[in-house]
Amino acid sequence: MTTSNLHMYVMAAPLICALFVNLLGRRSRTYIAPLTLGSLLFSSVTACFVLANALKNGRMSYTVGNWSPPYGIELIIDPLAALMLLLISVVALLATCAALPTVQREHAGKEHLFFTLYLILIAGLMGLVMTGDAFNLYVLLEITSITTYGLIAMGKGRAVLSSFNYIIMGSIGACFYLLGIGYIYILTGTLNMADIATRLPLVQGDAAVATAFAFLIVGLFIKMAFFPLHGWLPHAYSDAPMGAGVMIAPLMTKVTIYLMFRVIFSIFSPDYAFYQHAIIQNLIIWAAAISIIAASLMALAQRDLRRMLTYIIIAEVGYMVGGIWLANTQGLTGALLHIVNDALMTLCLFLAAATILYRIGSLHFDDLKGLYQRMPLTMLAFTIGAFSMIGVPPTAGFFSKWYLILGGIEAGHWEYVAALIFSSLINAILFFRLIEIAYFGNGDHGHGHKQTLPPTGSAPWYMQGSLLVTAVTLIIIGLGSGQLVQGVIKLALPAGF
Amino acid sequence: MEDFITLVIAKYNYWIYVILMMIGFYAMIGKKNLVKKLLGMNIFQTAIILMFVSAGVKKGASIPILDKHEVLTHGIEAAQIVNPLPHVLMLTAIVVSVSITGVALAVILRIYRKYGTLEEDEIMEKLGQ
């Protein structure tokens, strides 16, 4: 095991275990938990080494199968990719602790199928952050999407419909991305991102390049549920089985935003994306501001914890897209820091939701009364996650929001700054309303909301343990965000920022 | 007008791809039947596959299989060989599209078992009750 291909082990561990989970899990479900947790623990530890290596040696390129780039597929391990690898494996590991008991209850007998898809999805996400080949990115994007369709369709109620809706929307997004790649391939004759970046400035044909750029970006906008194209997300994420939602919700949109960052900076140049089309840049920041406000207002209308969280995810997508398109150091730093923070915040809130669902069998606001007495530790972690979402120091959410606001002021985009502050206020209302219900309400369900709740029981220790670990991580990342920005994110910013 | 017609005729393959893509896009967005939506998605993907494949074509070129001795003595003339890379890419894209169709058909089957219909408005009616 040499250090130059450690990152391959990070990705291979969940992929290979997916096979064994399917084969052995069929026989007895006792194999599933050790295999899944073991592979993800291995990935997390290895990802730590990959990050340490990347910070020490800088950007590294790895050629798969000894076909040298630009013909072969190139993997690029820079500090940001290594950070994303670590983030994905740690979030997946923590989410799995909650997914195991939830899936065991909701899908008894189908656990091996669930975790096969689950692990392939994680491997696909890891591949996405490493790849340096534009077409390979499309294939991995579809691997993650297909597994997500399957996982969502395993849910109850109208989950199959949501899954179908997501299939249609997701395919349009992926096809747009593929079309963009087609245009770029016809223009430059190459698929390697670095090679495209060197050839693209020499290409004649402004309209064709602009079309390619538009197709790529709109395709990714659909995949990340950026505001006017967000229609599929709330249903898909709230109807998905809780065990899948707890992993998909923190990771999918964040990885897609990272991909947008990659497309802008590795394929095109900041000069092309931001300065040559200033109108488009302004439009996107306006769309981000509207997205933040609209999604926050829609979150306010929900009476179910999980649906409320899905609208908050859409608002957060607006934060990060806007932050990247601000095109200044503060905005980019804030957006990249927010990818990390938001993944952990969403994970924290979804883990809390999973634990509550496991214990009381419902996430409707009327059923959450008196939760602080019944589940003090869970609600403590939930409160930390909520504070981070609102942006209360010293939780992580405050610092990235601070950078984003500074970036907005520096760029003079006051509408974006106003949207950020407005969204913080709405988040405060959302979560304090919820905290009030859970703190002051007495435990009886006498408000007409009576339905047969599924069987319940106290959550296993590792479910609450992973939730508490996530909450503590939020505070640690918050306090250490200075080091994170200086040590990793500053290195990841492209030249000129 | 004449310029436009020559443009259409000279690049007719790209026009066909655009028309096919719009048909597929319309079916995905406009049709109420879920199977028709899925077929629209397939047409959409096929249109993209056609665009890639036609981008690799060269007039009068032969298949990309080389005779080793011929190449060693005379070298390769790139203009005489069709570009094989788009075809290879599209093999992957076909695999992807087949897998999505498979997943979508399985999902449609479950929707039919659950709601007894594949018309979107009828399903919405049933959900509203």
Side-chain angles (χ1 to χ4, degrees), chain A residues 135 142 146 153 157 160-161 164 171-172 175 178-179 182-183 185 191, chain B residues 17 21 28 34 41 44 48 52 83 85 89 96 100 107 110 114 123:
Chain A
F135 188 77
E142 285 300 65
I146 292 171
V160 273
L161 268 182
F164 188 79
S171 300
I172 294 178
C175 285
L178 183 60
L179 264 179
Y183 277 71
Y185 178 70
L191 291 165
Chain B
Y17 123 73
M21 201 175 97
M28 279 164 101
L34 298 186
M41 190 177 93
F44 195 93
I48 298 175
F52 265 89
N83 184 359
L85 192 65
L89 296 181
V96 168
I100 294 179
V107 168
R110 281 201 37 201
K114 199 172 162 74
I123 294 173

PDB file of all heavy atoms in Angstrom, chain A residues 135 142 146 153 157 160-161 164 171-172 175 178-179 182-183 185 191, chain B residues 17 21 28 34 41 44 48 52 83 85 89 96 100 107 110 114 123:
ATOM      1  N   PHE A 135     -16.177  13.417 -19.297  1.00  0.00           N
ATOM      2  CA  PHE A 135     -17.176  12.390 -19.604  1.00  0.00           C
ATOM      3  C   PHE A 135     -17.313  11.409 -18.457  1.00  0.00           C
ATOM      4  O   PHE A 135     -18.405  10.960 -18.129  1.00  0.00           O
ATOM      5  CB  PHE A 135     -16.805  11.644 -20.883  1.00  0.00           C
ATOM      6  CG  PHE A 135     -17.890  10.725 -21.345  1.00  0.00           C
ATOM      7  CD1 PHE A 135     -19.005  11.226 -21.983  1.00  0.00           C
ATOM      8  CD2 PHE A 135     -17.812   9.358 -21.124  1.00  0.00           C
ATOM      9  CE1 PHE A 135     -20.027  10.385 -22.385  1.00  0.00           C
ATOM     10  CE2 PHE A 135     -18.835   8.525 -21.529  1.00  0.00           C
ATOM     11  CZ  PHE A 135     -19.938   9.042 -22.169  1.00  0.00           C
ATOM     12  N   GLU A 142     -24.411   9.815 -13.267  1.00  0.00           N
ATOM     13  CA  GLU A 142     -25.544   8.933 -13.484  1.00  0.00           C
ATOM     14  C   GLU A 142     -25.531   7.756 -12.532  1.00  0.00           C
ATOM     15  O   GLU A 142     -26.588   7.291 -12.112  1.00  0.00           O
ATOM     16  CB  GLU A 142     -25.561   8.453 -14.937  1.00  0.00           C
ATOM     17  CG  GLU A 142     -26.034   9.514 -15.898  1.00  0.00           C
ATOM     18  CD  GLU A 142     -27.443  10.003 -15.598  1.00  0.00           C
ATOM     19  OE1 GLU A 142     -27.639  10.600 -14.527  1.00  0.00           O
ATOM     20  OE2 GLU A 142     -28.335   9.791 -16.414  1.00  0.00           O
ATOM     21  N   ILE A 146     -28.812   7.062 -10.455  1.00  0.00           N
ATOM     22  CA  ILE A 146     -29.603   5.832 -10.569  1.00  0.00           C
ATOM     23  C   ILE A 146     -29.763   5.182  -9.200  1.00  0.00           C
ATOM     24  O   ILE A 146     -30.850   4.746  -8.829  1.00  0.00           O
ATOM     25  CB  ILE A 146     -28.955   4.863 -11.574  1.00  0.00           C
ATOM     26  CG1 ILE A 146     -29.046   5.442 -12.986  1.00  0.00           C
ATOM     27  CG2 ILE A 146     -29.645   3.515 -11.546  1.00  0.00           C
ATOM     28  CD1 ILE A 146     -28.255   4.684 -14.005  1.00  0.00           C
ATOM     29  N   ALA A 153     -37.244   5.250  -4.293  1.00  0.00           N
ATOM     30  CA  ALA A 153     -38.433   4.453  -4.598  1.00  0.00           C
ATOM     31  C   ALA A 153     -38.713   3.424  -3.517  1.00  0.00           C
ATOM     32  O   ALA A 153     -39.816   2.868  -3.463  1.00  0.00           O
ATOM     33  CB  ALA A 153     -38.260   3.760  -5.952  1.00  0.00           C
ATOM     34  N   GLY A 157     -45.609   5.411   1.016  1.00  0.00           N
ATOM     35  CA  GLY A 157     -46.517   6.444   0.538  1.00  0.00           C
ATOM     36  C   GLY A 157     -46.292   6.737  -0.935  1.00  0.00           C
ATOM     37  O   GLY A 157     -46.196   5.840  -1.759  1.00  0.00           O
ATOM     38  N   VAL A 160     -42.816   6.323  -4.756  1.00  0.00           N
ATOM     39  CA  VAL A 160     -42.563   5.879  -6.132  1.00  0.00           C
ATOM     40  C   VAL A 160     -42.821   7.013  -7.112  1.00  0.00           C
ATOM     41  O   VAL A 160     -42.077   7.191  -8.080  1.00  0.00           O
ATOM     42  CB  VAL A 160     -43.406   4.640  -6.502  1.00  0.00           C
ATOM     43  CG1 VAL A 160     -42.686   3.388  -6.108  1.00  0.00           C
ATOM     44  CG2 VAL A 160     -44.779   4.692  -5.909  1.00  0.00           C
ATOM     45  N   LEU A 161     -43.887   7.791  -6.857  1.00  0.00           N
ATOM     46  CA  LEU A 161     -44.180   8.927  -7.742  1.00  0.00           C
ATOM     47  C   LEU A 161     -43.071   9.962  -7.683  1.00  0.00           C
ATOM     48  O   LEU A 161     -42.622  10.470  -8.708  1.00  0.00           O
ATOM     49  CB  LEU A 161     -45.487   9.587  -7.313  1.00  0.00           C
ATOM     50  CG  LEU A 161     -46.754   9.099  -7.974  1.00  0.00           C
ATOM     51  CD1 LEU A 161     -47.912   9.923  -7.450  1.00  0.00           C
ATOM     52  CD2 LEU A 161     -46.638   9.247  -9.470  1.00  0.00           C
ATOM     53  N   PHE A 164     -40.194   8.754  -9.636  1.00  0.00           N
ATOM     54  CA  PHE A 164     -40.364   8.874 -11.086  1.00  0.00           C
ATOM     55  C   PHE A 164     -40.156  10.312 -11.540  1.00  0.00           C
ATOM     56  O   PHE A 164     -39.485  10.575 -12.538  1.00  0.00           O
ATOM     57  CB  PHE A 164     -41.745   8.375 -11.506  1.00  0.00           C
ATOM     58  CG  PHE A 164     -41.894   8.304 -12.991  1.00  0.00           C
ATOM     59  CD1 PHE A 164     -41.359   7.253 -13.697  1.00  0.00           C
ATOM     60  CD2 PHE A 164     -42.535   9.301 -13.695  1.00  0.00           C
ATOM     61  CE1 PHE A 164     -41.458   7.187 -15.068  1.00  0.00           C
ATOM     62  CE2 PHE A 164     -42.642   9.247 -15.072  1.00  0.00           C
ATOM     63  CZ  PHE A 164     -42.099   8.191 -15.753  1.00  0.00           C
ATOM     64  N   SER A 171     -32.845  13.068 -15.370  1.00  0.00           N
ATOM     65  CA  SER A 171     -32.354  12.690 -16.693  1.00  0.00           C
ATOM     66  C   SER A 171     -32.219  13.909 -17.586  1.00  0.00           C
ATOM     67  O   SER A 171     -31.272  13.996 -18.369  1.00  0.00           O
ATOM     68  CB  SER A 171     -33.290  11.688 -17.349  1.00  0.00           C
ATOM     69  OG  SER A 171     -33.368  10.560 -16.561  1.00  0.00           O
ATOM     70  N   ILE A 172     -33.167  14.849 -17.471  1.00  0.00           N
ATOM     71  CA  ILE A 172     -33.025  16.071 -18.264  1.00  0.00           C
ATOM     72  C   ILE A 172     -31.724  16.766 -17.873  1.00  0.00           C
ATOM     73  O   ILE A 172     -30.944  17.185 -18.733  1.00  0.00           O
ATOM     74  CB  ILE A 172     -34.235  17.015 -18.043  1.00  0.00           C
ATOM     75  CG1 ILE A 172     -35.508  16.377 -18.581  1.00  0.00           C
ATOM     76  CG2 ILE A 172     -34.005  18.347 -18.738  1.00  0.00           C
ATOM     77  CD1 ILE A 172     -36.743  17.209 -18.363  1.00  0.00           C
ATOM     78  N   CYS A 175     -28.775  14.842 -19.247  1.00  0.00           N
ATOM     79  CA  CYS A 175     -28.689  14.942 -20.707  1.00  0.00           C
ATOM     80  C   CYS A 175     -28.161  16.318 -21.101  1.00  0.00           C
ATOM     81  O   CYS A 175     -27.371  16.427 -22.050  1.00  0.00           O
ATOM     82  CB  CYS A 175     -30.050  14.715 -21.347  1.00  0.00           C
ATOM     83  SG  CYS A 175     -30.535  13.005 -21.328  1.00  0.00           S
ATOM     84  N   LEU A 178     -24.535  16.177 -20.672  1.00  0.00           N
ATOM     85  CA  LEU A 178     -23.921  15.391 -21.737  1.00  0.00           C
ATOM     86  C   LEU A 178     -23.860  16.190 -23.036  1.00  0.00           C
ATOM     87  O   LEU A 178     -22.856  16.147 -23.755  1.00  0.00           O
ATOM     88  CB  LEU A 178     -24.724  14.101 -21.941  1.00  0.00           C
ATOM     89  CG  LEU A 178     -24.196  13.116 -22.970  1.00  0.00           C
ATOM     90  CD1 LEU A 178     -22.816  12.664 -22.570  1.00  0.00           C
ATOM     91  CD2 LEU A 178     -25.108  11.912 -23.072  1.00  0.00           C
ATOM     92  N   LEU A 179     -24.918  16.945 -23.328  1.00  0.00           N
ATOM     93  CA  LEU A 179     -24.924  17.791 -24.519  1.00  0.00           C
ATOM     94  C   LEU A 179     -23.795  18.823 -24.453  1.00  0.00           C
ATOM     95  O   LEU A 179     -23.084  19.051 -25.433  1.00  0.00           O
ATOM     96  CB  LEU A 179     -26.244  18.545 -24.605  1.00  0.00           C
ATOM     97  CG  LEU A 179     -27.329  17.946 -25.472  1.00  0.00           C
ATOM     98  CD1 LEU A 179     -28.557  18.815 -25.398  1.00  0.00           C
ATOM     99  CD2 LEU A 179     -26.854  17.858 -26.897  1.00  0.00           C
ATOM    100  N   GLY A 182     -20.735  17.238 -25.282  1.00  0.00           N
ATOM    101  CA  GLY A 182     -20.673  16.994 -26.719  1.00  0.00           C
ATOM    102  C   GLY A 182     -20.186  18.220 -27.469  1.00  0.00           C
ATOM    103  O   GLY A 182     -19.301  18.126 -28.320  1.00  0.00           O
ATOM    104  N   TYR A 183     -20.732  19.383 -27.122  1.00  0.00           N
ATOM    105  CA  TYR A 183     -20.307  20.617 -27.779  1.00  0.00           C
ATOM    106  C   TYR A 183     -18.824  20.862 -27.541  1.00  0.00           C
ATOM    107  O   TYR A 183     -18.080  21.217 -28.454  1.00  0.00           O
ATOM    108  CB  TYR A 183     -21.125  21.800 -27.253  1.00  0.00           C
ATOM    109  CG  TYR A 183     -22.459  21.966 -27.923  1.00  0.00           C
ATOM    110  CD1 TYR A 183     -23.482  21.060 -27.688  1.00  0.00           C
ATOM    111  CD2 TYR A 183     -22.703  23.012 -28.795  1.00  0.00           C
ATOM    112  CE1 TYR A 183     -24.705  21.194 -28.295  1.00  0.00           C
ATOM    113  CE2 TYR A 183     -23.932  23.158 -29.409  1.00  0.00           C
ATOM    114  CZ  TYR A 183     -24.923  22.254 -29.156  1.00  0.00           C
ATOM    115  OH  TYR A 183     -26.131  22.381 -29.759  1.00  0.00           O
ATOM    116  N   TYR A 185     -16.565  18.675 -26.795  1.00  0.00           N
ATOM    117  CA  TYR A 185     -15.748  17.689 -27.497  1.00  0.00           C
ATOM    118  C   TYR A 185     -15.620  18.048 -28.972  1.00  0.00           C
ATOM    119  O   TYR A 185     -14.541  17.946 -29.558  1.00  0.00           O
ATOM    120  CB  TYR A 185     -16.347  16.285 -27.337  1.00  0.00           C
ATOM    121  CG  TYR A 185     -15.559  15.253 -28.080  1.00  0.00           C
ATOM    122  CD1 TYR A 185     -14.299  14.893 -27.632  1.00  0.00           C
ATOM    123  CD2 TYR A 185     -16.032  14.693 -29.251  1.00  0.00           C
ATOM    124  CE1 TYR A 185     -13.530  13.993 -28.328  1.00  0.00           C
ATOM    125  CE2 TYR A 185     -15.282  13.788 -29.954  1.00  0.00           C
ATOM    126  CZ  TYR A 185     -14.027  13.437 -29.487  1.00  0.00           C
ATOM    127  OH  TYR A 185     -13.267  12.562 -30.184  1.00  0.00           O
ATOM    128  N   LEU A 191     -11.508  15.347 -23.866  1.00  0.00           N
ATOM    129  CA  LEU A 191     -12.457  15.245 -22.761  1.00  0.00           C
ATOM    130  C   LEU A 191     -11.780  15.469 -21.418  1.00  0.00           C
ATOM    131  O   LEU A 191     -12.441  15.528 -20.392  1.00  0.00           O
ATOM    132  CB  LEU A 191     -13.118  13.864 -22.756  1.00  0.00           C
ATOM    133  CG  LEU A 191     -14.074  13.623 -23.921  1.00  0.00           C
ATOM    134  CD1 LEU A 191     -14.379  12.152 -24.040  1.00  0.00           C
ATOM    135  CD2 LEU A 191     -15.351  14.405 -23.715  1.00  0.00           C
TER     136      LEU A 191
ATOM    137  N   TYR B  17     -31.050  16.090 -35.072  1.00  0.00           N
ATOM    138  CA  TYR B  17     -30.887  15.892 -33.620  1.00  0.00           C
ATOM    139  C   TYR B  17     -31.695  16.918 -32.833  1.00  0.00           C
ATOM    140  O   TYR B  17     -32.341  16.576 -31.834  1.00  0.00           O
ATOM    141  CB  TYR B  17     -29.393  15.887 -33.267  1.00  0.00           C
ATOM    142  CG  TYR B  17     -28.939  16.896 -32.253  1.00  0.00           C
ATOM    143  CD1 TYR B  17     -29.255  16.740 -30.910  1.00  0.00           C
ATOM    144  CD2 TYR B  17     -28.195  18.001 -32.631  1.00  0.00           C
ATOM    145  CE1 TYR B  17     -28.849  17.681 -29.988  1.00  0.00           C
ATOM    146  CE2 TYR B  17     -27.780  18.929 -31.716  1.00  0.00           C
ATOM    147  CZ  TYR B  17     -28.118  18.775 -30.403  1.00  0.00           C
ATOM    148  OH  TYR B  17     -27.721  19.702 -29.488  1.00  0.00           O
ATOM    149  N   MET B  21     -34.720  15.954 -30.389  1.00  0.00           N
ATOM    150  CA  MET B  21     -34.598  16.339 -28.991  1.00  0.00           C
ATOM    151  C   MET B  21     -35.828  17.102 -28.527  1.00  0.00           C
ATOM    152  O   MET B  21     -36.334  16.881 -27.426  1.00  0.00           O
ATOM    153  CB  MET B  21     -33.357  17.197 -28.819  1.00  0.00           C
ATOM    154  CG  MET B  21     -32.855  17.225 -27.410  1.00  0.00           C
ATOM    155  SD  MET B  21     -31.336  18.133 -27.320  1.00  0.00           S
ATOM    156  CE  MET B  21     -31.934  19.694 -26.810  1.00  0.00           C
ATOM    157  N   MET B  28     -41.621  14.559 -22.536  1.00  0.00           N
ATOM    158  CA  MET B  28     -41.291  14.481 -21.112  1.00  0.00           C
ATOM    159  C   MET B  28     -42.053  15.514 -20.305  1.00  0.00           C
ATOM    160  O   MET B  28     -42.449  15.263 -19.172  1.00  0.00           O
ATOM    161  CB  MET B  28     -39.791  14.732 -20.917  1.00  0.00           C
ATOM    162  CG  MET B  28     -38.948  13.542 -21.186  1.00  0.00           C
ATOM    163  SD  MET B  28     -37.254  14.050 -21.382  1.00  0.00           S
ATOM    164  CE  MET B  28     -36.608  13.620 -19.804  1.00  0.00           C
ATOM    165  N   LEU B  34     -47.340   8.293 -17.928  1.00  0.00           N
ATOM    166  CA  LEU B  34     -45.978   8.128 -17.440  1.00  0.00           C
ATOM    167  C   LEU B  34     -45.107   7.358 -18.419  1.00  0.00           C
ATOM    168  O   LEU B  34     -43.919   7.649 -18.562  1.00  0.00           O
ATOM    169  CB  LEU B  34     -45.988   7.413 -16.086  1.00  0.00           C
ATOM    170  CG  LEU B  34     -46.721   8.144 -14.960  1.00  0.00           C
ATOM    171  CD1 LEU B  34     -46.532   7.418 -13.648  1.00  0.00           C
ATOM    172  CD2 LEU B  34     -46.242   9.566 -14.817  1.00  0.00           C
ATOM    173  N   MET B  41     -38.175  10.508 -22.794  1.00  0.00           N
ATOM    174  CA  MET B  41     -36.815  10.531 -22.266  1.00  0.00           C
ATOM    175  C   MET B  41     -35.883   9.723 -23.156  1.00  0.00           C
ATOM    176  O   MET B  41     -34.754  10.132 -23.441  1.00  0.00           O
ATOM    177  CB  MET B  41     -36.824   9.968 -20.853  1.00  0.00           C
ATOM    178  CG  MET B  41     -35.554  10.137 -20.099  1.00  0.00           C
ATOM    179  SD  MET B  41     -35.770   9.513 -18.443  1.00  0.00           S
ATOM    180  CE  MET B  41     -35.202   7.852 -18.682  1.00  0.00           C
ATOM    181  N   PHE B  44     -35.132  11.646 -26.291  1.00  0.00           N
ATOM    182  CA  PHE B  44     -34.193  12.707 -25.924  1.00  0.00           C
ATOM    183  C   PHE B  44     -32.762  12.174 -25.883  1.00  0.00           C
ATOM    184  O   PHE B  44     -31.839  12.744 -26.455  1.00  0.00           O
ATOM    185  CB  PHE B  44     -34.608  13.235 -24.549  1.00  0.00           C
ATOM    186  CG  PHE B  44     -33.996  14.535 -24.143  1.00  0.00           C
ATOM    187  CD1 PHE B  44     -34.650  15.721 -24.407  1.00  0.00           C
ATOM    188  CD2 PHE B  44     -32.798  14.582 -23.457  1.00  0.00           C
ATOM    189  CE1 PHE B  44     -34.112  16.928 -24.012  1.00  0.00           C
ATOM    190  CE2 PHE B  44     -32.251  15.787 -23.062  1.00  0.00           C
ATOM    191  CZ  PHE B  44     -32.912  16.954 -23.346  1.00  0.00           C
ATOM    192  N   ILE B  48     -29.294  12.780 -28.449  1.00  0.00           N
ATOM    193  CA  ILE B  48     -27.933  13.150 -28.062  1.00  0.00           C
ATOM    194  C   ILE B  48     -26.933  12.134 -28.600  1.00  0.00           C
ATOM    195  O   ILE B  48     -25.857  12.482 -29.089  1.00  0.00           O
ATOM    196  CB  ILE B  48     -27.834  13.260 -26.536  1.00  0.00           C
ATOM    197  CG1 ILE B  48     -28.763  14.365 -26.052  1.00  0.00           C
ATOM    198  CG2 ILE B  48     -26.419  13.539 -26.105  1.00  0.00           C
ATOM    199  CD1 ILE B  48     -28.834  14.470 -24.580  1.00  0.00           C
ATOM    200  N   PHE B  52     -23.633  12.885 -31.088  1.00  0.00           N
ATOM    201  CA  PHE B  52     -22.245  12.482 -30.851  1.00  0.00           C
ATOM    202  C   PHE B  52     -21.726  11.639 -32.012  1.00  0.00           C
ATOM    203  O   PHE B  52     -20.639  11.869 -32.526  1.00  0.00           O
ATOM    204  CB  PHE B  52     -22.161  11.655 -29.565  1.00  0.00           C
ATOM    205  CG  PHE B  52     -21.808  12.448 -28.351  1.00  0.00           C
ATOM    206  CD1 PHE B  52     -22.799  13.038 -27.589  1.00  0.00           C
ATOM    207  CD2 PHE B  52     -20.495  12.602 -27.968  1.00  0.00           C
ATOM    208  CE1 PHE B  52     -22.474  13.770 -26.478  1.00  0.00           C
ATOM    209  CE2 PHE B  52     -20.175  13.322 -26.846  1.00  0.00           C
ATOM    210  CZ  PHE B  52     -21.166  13.917 -26.099  1.00  0.00           C
ATOM    211  N   ASN B  83     -13.555   8.905 -36.684  1.00  0.00           N
ATOM    212  CA  ASN B  83     -13.169   9.072 -35.284  1.00  0.00           C
ATOM    213  C   ASN B  83     -13.949   8.090 -34.426  1.00  0.00           C
ATOM    214  O   ASN B  83     -15.173   8.189 -34.325  1.00  0.00           O
ATOM    215  CB  ASN B  83     -13.458  10.513 -34.864  1.00  0.00           C
ATOM    216  CG  ASN B  83     -13.007  10.794 -33.453  1.00  0.00           C
ATOM    217  OD1 ASN B  83     -12.496   9.904 -32.785  1.00  0.00           O
ATOM    218  ND2 ASN B  83     -13.184  12.017 -33.017  1.00  0.00           N
ATOM    219  N   LEU B  85     -13.837   7.627 -31.140  1.00  0.00           N
ATOM    220  CA  LEU B  85     -14.067   7.963 -29.734  1.00  0.00           C
ATOM    221  C   LEU B  85     -15.536   8.296 -29.423  1.00  0.00           C
ATOM    222  O   LEU B  85     -16.079   7.782 -28.435  1.00  0.00           O
ATOM    223  CB  LEU B  85     -13.150   9.106 -29.316  1.00  0.00           C
ATOM    224  CG  LEU B  85     -13.111   9.345 -27.812  1.00  0.00           C
ATOM    225  CD1 LEU B  85     -12.503   8.163 -27.098  1.00  0.00           C
ATOM    226  CD2 LEU B  85     -12.343  10.598 -27.483  1.00  0.00           C
ATOM    227  N   LEU B  89     -17.834   6.533 -26.545  1.00  0.00           N
ATOM    228  CA  LEU B  89     -18.523   7.283 -25.490  1.00  0.00           C
ATOM    229  C   LEU B  89     -19.995   6.940 -25.485  1.00  0.00           C
ATOM    230  O   LEU B  89     -20.614   6.760 -24.441  1.00  0.00           O
ATOM    231  CB  LEU B  89     -18.357   8.788 -25.715  1.00  0.00           C
ATOM    232  CG  LEU B  89     -16.962   9.368 -25.628  1.00  0.00           C
ATOM    233  CD1 LEU B  89     -17.037  10.857 -25.867  1.00  0.00           C
ATOM    234  CD2 LEU B  89     -16.362   9.095 -24.285  1.00  0.00           C
ATOM    235  N   VAL B  96     -25.923   3.666 -19.860  1.00  0.00           N
ATOM    236  CA  VAL B  96     -26.549   4.508 -18.840  1.00  0.00           C
ATOM    237  C   VAL B  96     -28.036   4.648 -19.120  1.00  0.00           C
ATOM    238  O   VAL B  96     -28.879   4.485 -18.230  1.00  0.00           O
ATOM    239  CB  VAL B  96     -25.864   5.896 -18.800  1.00  0.00           C
ATOM    240  CG1 VAL B  96     -26.669   6.864 -17.977  1.00  0.00           C
ATOM    241  CG2 VAL B  96     -24.472   5.784 -18.261  1.00  0.00           C
ATOM    242  N   ILE B 100     -31.236   3.532 -16.778  1.00  0.00           N
ATOM    243  CA  ILE B 100     -32.262   4.456 -16.286  1.00  0.00           C
ATOM    244  C   ILE B 100     -33.637   3.965 -16.723  1.00  0.00           C
ATOM    245  O   ILE B 100     -34.590   3.967 -15.934  1.00  0.00           O
ATOM    246  CB  ILE B 100     -32.006   5.880 -16.799  1.00  0.00           C
ATOM    247  CG1 ILE B 100     -30.722   6.403 -16.182  1.00  0.00           C
ATOM    248  CG2 ILE B 100     -33.154   6.799 -16.431  1.00  0.00           C
ATOM    249  CD1 ILE B 100     -30.378   7.773 -16.641  1.00  0.00           C
ATOM    250  N   VAL B 107     -40.079   1.365 -11.511  1.00  0.00           N
ATOM    251  CA  VAL B 107     -40.836   2.331 -10.705  1.00  0.00           C
ATOM    252  C   VAL B 107     -42.257   2.461 -11.253  1.00  0.00           C
ATOM    253  O   VAL B 107     -43.233   2.490 -10.489  1.00  0.00           O
ATOM    254  CB  VAL B 107     -40.102   3.691 -10.687  1.00  0.00           C
ATOM    255  CG1 VAL B 107     -40.990   4.768 -10.122  1.00  0.00           C
ATOM    256  CG2 VAL B 107     -38.837   3.586  -9.878  1.00  0.00           C
ATOM    257  N   ARG B 110     -44.429  -0.305 -10.127  1.00  0.00           N
ATOM    258  CA  ARG B 110     -44.892  -0.149  -8.740  1.00  0.00           C
ATOM    259  C   ARG B 110     -45.977   0.914  -8.643  1.00  0.00           C
ATOM    260  O   ARG B 110     -46.908   0.791  -7.854  1.00  0.00           O
ATOM    261  CB  ARG B 110     -43.712   0.188  -7.825  1.00  0.00           C
ATOM    262  CG  ARG B 110     -42.920  -1.053  -7.498  1.00  0.00           C
ATOM    263  CD  ARG B 110     -42.095  -0.917  -6.266  1.00  0.00           C
ATOM    264  NE  ARG B 110     -42.699  -0.142  -5.197  1.00  0.00           N
ATOM    265  CZ  ARG B 110     -41.997   0.414  -4.239  1.00  0.00           C
ATOM    266  NH1 ARG B 110     -40.687   0.317  -4.230  1.00  0.00           N
ATOM    267  NH2 ARG B 110     -42.599   1.089  -3.285  1.00  0.00           N
ATOM    268  N   LYS B 114     -49.782   0.302  -7.291  1.00  0.00           N
ATOM    269  CA  LYS B 114     -50.276   1.069  -6.148  1.00  0.00           C
ATOM    270  C   LYS B 114     -51.540   1.848  -6.508  1.00  0.00           C
ATOM    271  O   LYS B 114     -52.487   1.881  -5.721  1.00  0.00           O
ATOM    272  CB  LYS B 114     -49.180   2.029  -5.691  1.00  0.00           C
ATOM    273  CG  LYS B 114     -49.360   2.537  -4.280  1.00  0.00           C
ATOM    274  CD  LYS B 114     -48.118   3.299  -3.879  1.00  0.00           C
ATOM    275  CE  LYS B 114     -48.378   4.183  -2.699  1.00  0.00           C
ATOM    276  NZ  LYS B 114     -48.499   3.497  -1.439  1.00  0.00           N
ATOM    277  N   ILE B 123     -53.811   9.848 -11.149  1.00  0.00           N
ATOM    278  CA  ILE B 123     -53.078   9.561  -9.912  1.00  0.00           C
ATOM    279  C   ILE B 123     -53.221  10.730  -8.947  1.00  0.00           C
ATOM    280  O   ILE B 123     -53.460  10.550  -7.746  1.00  0.00           O
ATOM    281  CB  ILE B 123     -51.594   9.295 -10.214  1.00  0.00           C
ATOM    282  CG1 ILE B 123     -51.450   8.025 -11.033  1.00  0.00           C
ATOM    283  CG2 ILE B 123     -50.803   9.168  -8.929  1.00  0.00           C
ATOM    284  CD1 ILE B 123     -50.055   7.776 -11.520  1.00  0.00           C
TER     285      ILE B 123
END
